[in-house]
């Protein structure tokens, strides 16, 4: 784990966050600059760099991240209205944090794929 990883520090409680879900291997918290009424970041507690660093042994935690997304969508009341799950990868996607994270965004009409 890199010493300067923001999301590792959030998982460790060294930097405050607004918790949405806390499980053995997965943590979820509200994005500090929400792009929509619901904007939650879902991260593995163990450091994984980003999608390009994912390996077969990460399969279980990736499933747990998606299960967390399902449960958060339900608890936020947007399971039926819909939402978007996003992994930003690299500069053209505007990736700024290099600890694997899934954005769960919803609570309004989001436009078509690639909007914005
Ligand atoms: P990405 O562009 O996919 O790397 O997304 C990083 C996200 O982390 C952005 O949406 C930021 O608003 C969010 N973010 C940065 N710092 C914090 C923080 N301290 N707490 C919550 N979210 C944060
Ligand atoms: Zn990390």
């Amino acid at each position: 784990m890199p010493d300067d990883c923001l999301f590792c520090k959030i998982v460790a409680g060294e930097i405050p966050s607004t918790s949405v879900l806390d499980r053995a291997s997965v943590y979820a918290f509200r994005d500090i600059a929400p792009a929509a009424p619901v904007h939650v970041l879902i991260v593995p507690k163990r450091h994984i760099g980003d999608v390009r660093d994912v390996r077969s042994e990460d399969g279980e935690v990736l499933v747990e991240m998606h299960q967390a997304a399902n449960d958060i969508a339900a608890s936020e009341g947007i399971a039926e209205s819909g939402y978007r799950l996003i992994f930003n990868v690299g500069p053209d996607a505007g990736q700024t944090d290099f600890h694997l994270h899934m954005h769960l965004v919803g609570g309004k009409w989001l436009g078509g794929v690639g909007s914005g």
Side-chain angles (χ1 to χ4, degrees):
M1 182 246 289
D3 291 342
D4 58 349
C5 177
L6 173 66
F7 288 175
C8 279
K9 289 180 181 172
I10 285 177
V11 167
E14 293 167 16
I15 290 175
S17 64
T18 304
S19 175
V20 175
L21 173 148
D22 191 355
R23 292 188 172 153
S25 303
V26 172
Y27 183 60
F29 53 100
R30 297 202 188 277
D31 196 292
I32 204 167
V38 177
H39 189 169
V40 175
L41 300 175
I42 302 166
V43 305
K45 288 190 170 176
R46 178 170 57 82
H47 183 87
I48 298 172
D50 69 23
V51 167
R52 295 167 289 195
D53 300 306
V54 166
R55 300 291 178 268
S56 300
E57 55 267 31
D58 301 319
E60 194 170 333
V61 77
L62 285 168
V63 169
E64 290 175 18
M65 289 170 70
H66 285 77
Q67 291 170 328
N70 287 340
D71 294 341
I72 293 165
S75 63
E76 295 288 323
I78 59 170
E80 300 303 324
S81 56
Y83 52 93
R84 188 164 286 155
L85 302 175
I86 302 163
F87 288 93
N88 288 324
V89 183
D92 279 355
Q95 184 183 9
T96 59
D97 194 282
F98 294 84
H99 178 128
L100 186 69
H101 55 284
M102 176 195 279
H103 295 253
L104 187 162
V105 181
K108 68 171 189 180
W109 164 243
L110 297 168
V113 171
S115 61

